[in-house]
Every structure is written in structure tokens, then in C-alpha cells.
Amino acid sequence: MQKTFSIIKPDAVKRNLIGHINQMIENADLKILASKKIYLTKNQAQIFYEVHKERPFFNSLVEYMTSGAVQVQVLEGEDAVLKYRKIMGATNPDEAEEGTIRKQYAESIEANSVHGSDSEENAKIEISFFFSGSELVE
Ligand code: CMP
């Protein structure tokens, strides 16, 4: 069993898609261990996306991620990191496969509805950024 970290982003929360996306997550045999709706502060968004800080889209990304509420979640399952990235689909919705969350719901490469950790190591870092151990319930 492996854990991964997920964000349902402002574009999807605004369009009332939390339940739809979580249905797709559960249909893929991923269990939602923890889930909460929060507003990211500008500082949190800058730290979370620090790896992208030299990219031309960084300021816009921080602006977008703080433009509305997000749903942060911890998912668990077999090969959870890879499995969730598969059901999310490619970053750019134009390149995402049929049946993926981004193909179905994303609005653009920036407003792409969901985030998922890209490795188990980053999943641990991202989970501990938003959740304490006692919030993860089997
Ligand atoms: P995510 O998987 O959360 O990781 C970084 C985010 O930056 C990505 O999803 C998109 O929301 C955003 N992003 C990535 N590439 C671009 C791009 N070329 N232009 C605008 N935003 C991008």
C-alpha cells in the first residue's frame, strides 16, 4: 500500500466537481484517507510550487491556486502515486487520454482541475505539508 497527495484545484471546486472527481478516484480503488477544503495562502502556494519558481507561469500559477478554495486529500492504494497520475491524465488536457480526470474536466494547462504527487518521496513531503499523522484515518 502506498499513499499519495491530491489537490482538487479551484477551477474544479468552483464548478462543484469534488464529488465527481472523488467518484473517479474511488472507482480506481484508491481510498480517501483524509480530505479537507482550505484556502491556500500565497505563501503556502509559493512554497508548494517552489520547484517551478523560475518558470514563466509561476506567478500566474500562484495567483490561480489562491483564487478559490481547494480540496486537499491523502489517497491510499496499491501503487497509489502512479495509479492516481494515470487517472489524472496529462498536465495539458489537450494531451490527456479519454476517461481521465483532466480530459473530462480540466479547462486549460493551468486550470487543470487536479494535482497529484509525482513520486513517493514527494508524496510524503506534500502530505506532511498539509496533514498531521492523526488526520490520516484508515
Ligand atoms: P500540477 O501538476 O499541479 O504542477 C504544476 C502546475 O503548474 C500544473 O499542474 C499546472 O497547473 C501548472 N502548469 C504546468 N505547466 C504549465 C504551463 N505551461 N502553463 C501554465 N501552467 C502550467
Side-chain angles (χ1 to χ4, degrees):
M1 283 299 171
Q2 191 179 55
K3 292 183 182 61
T4 192
F5 175 73
S6 154
I7 305 179
I8 301 178
K9 297 184 179 184
D11 69 277
V13 173
K14 276 185 191 137
R15 286 179 289 146
N16 209 20
L17 294 172
I18 295 171
H20 289 81
I21 290 171
N22 279 342
Q23 188 66 67
M24 292 173 82
I25 287 171
E26 291 185 341
N27 286 349
D29 273 339
L30 289 166
K31 187 166 163 183
I32 301 164
L33 293 192
S35 182
K36 60 189 174 189
K37 192 189 262 185
I38 61 171
Y39 282 91
L40 290 183
T41 65
K42 191 174 174 188
N43 191 42
Q44 279 176 320
Q46 284 171 333
I47 293 169
F48 187 80
Y49 280 121
E50 194 161 18
V51 48
H52 297 300
K53 74 170 183 290
E54 304 302 334
R55 308 288 284 273
F57 59 79
F58 180 71
N59 287 340
S60 172
L61 175 61
V62 169
E63 190 83 354
Y64 157 66
M65 289 300 290
T66 56
S67 68
V70 297
Q71 190 82 13
V72 290
Q73 309 197 121
V74 180
L75 313 179
E76 185 180 68
E78 219 170 282
D79 278 330
V81 169
L82 197 62
K83 189 183 264 187
Y84 186 48
R85 285 184 74 83
K86 275 194 175 155
I87 66 162
M88 285 196 307
T91 304
N92 184 346
D94 293 339
E95 291 163 14
E97 278 182 42
E98 284 302 329
T100 61
I101 296 169
R102 285 169 170 162
K103 179 71 181 181
Q104 198 155 331
Y105 295 124
E107 295 182 315
S108 65
I109 193 166
E110 178 177 79
N112 63 357
S113 299
V114 281
H115 165 83
S117 309
D118 62 4
S119 66
E120 187 168 29
E121 191 192 348
N122 282 337
K124 286 181 181 152
I125 294 167
E126 293 175 358
I127 289 168
S128 63
F129 191 67
F130 289 105
F131 291 95
S132 65
S134 62
E135 288 178 287
L136 310 185
V137 180
E138 290 292 334

